Amino acid sequence: MTTPRPSLTLSSTVLDAPDAAELADFYRRLLGWETVQEEPGWVKLLPPGGGSGLGFQTEKAYVPPAWPASPGDQLMMLHLDFEVEDLETAVAHAVAEGATPADFQPQHDVRVLFDPVGHPFCLFVNEEAPGEPPAISPEWVAEQTREIAEQDRLTVQDAVAPDPSAPARQPEPDTLS
């Protein structure tokens, strides 16, 4: 006999931060969302049209994730994706509000940025959006690919299910700070 599945609704995705209110303020400015709940160590934002929101909780032991990850790094566990109509304008807005572009950009139509406490997030243009894709040269993509190969970065597959027969890899120094 199976138990019926209860109704579950995603209320919010919660990000840890050294100061929940400060990080919530960044995302409030970035997204234009409203604060709907605020108490010591906790803030929740919701989009104007409703739907699931973002929550922020203070975690004094917070350690920023490394991206891209190397062996032994704090993994990001998740990241937020935001669809935009104009990638260049959206990146400029995010940077003006306090985001930092990542040194490594893996795709021509996506920009990886870090929020003020180091959570990676992506801005991307939907393939169905009108207009031309951002002008990124094939040479730039090839250069980024070479950099990944040279750094021998940890892949998601290695992190989840490492090959036991592969030689152990040594952690690299953090180059994103």
Side-chain angles (χ1 to χ4, degrees):
M1 181 170 164
T2 61
T3 305
R5 183 180 55 81
S7 174
L8 301 171
T9 302
L10 179 63
S11 169
S12 62
T13 299
V14 180
L15 299 175
D16 290 348
D19 184 313
E22 285 181 14
L23 187 58
D25 187 53
F26 165 77
Y27 281 98
R28 182 190 53 74
R29 294 187 322 269
L30 178 72
L31 302 170
W33 292 8
E34 295 295 320
T35 301
V36 295
Q37 184 180 11
E38 187 167 6
E39 55 192 65
W42 174 259
V43 179
K44 184 175 179 182
L45 305 178
L46 285 179
S52 64
L54 287 174
F56 306 89
Q57 72 181 12
T58 297
E59 174 54 66
K60 296 300 180 189
Y62 172 75
V63 175
W67 188 88
S70 291
D73 287 344
Q74 172 67 43
L75 298 177
M76 68 176 160
M77 305 300 287
L78 68 89
H79 70 274
L80 303 173
D81 282 349
F82 298 105
E83 182 177 338
V84 300
E85 291 179 11
D86 181 324
L87 194 54
E88 187 175 319
T89 300
V91 169
H93 169 68
V95 169
E97 296 301 341
T100 304
D103 289 336
F104 172 68
Q105 297 292 331
Q107 296 167 274
H108 80 282
D109 57 349
V110 176
R111 289 295 172 270
V112 179
L113 296 103
F114 300 108
D115 69 21
V117 300
H119 296 107
F121 66 94
C122 296
L123 302 178
F124 72 96
V125 176
N126 185 331
E127 292 177 8
E128 297 173 12
E132 294 297 314
I136 302 293
S137 72
E139 293 81 15
W140 180 86
V141 173
E143 178 184 341
Q144 295 294 316
T145 304
R146 278 192 304 276
E147 285 182 17
I148 292 172
E150 289 169 5
Q151 294 173 2
D152 193 28
R153 291 291 189 179
L154 179 68
T155 66
V156 172
Q157 183 60 35
D158 288 342
V160 174
D163 179 358
S165 65
R169 294 166 48 174
Q170 297 301 313
E172 296 178 8
D174 182 11
T175 58
L176 295 177
S177 12

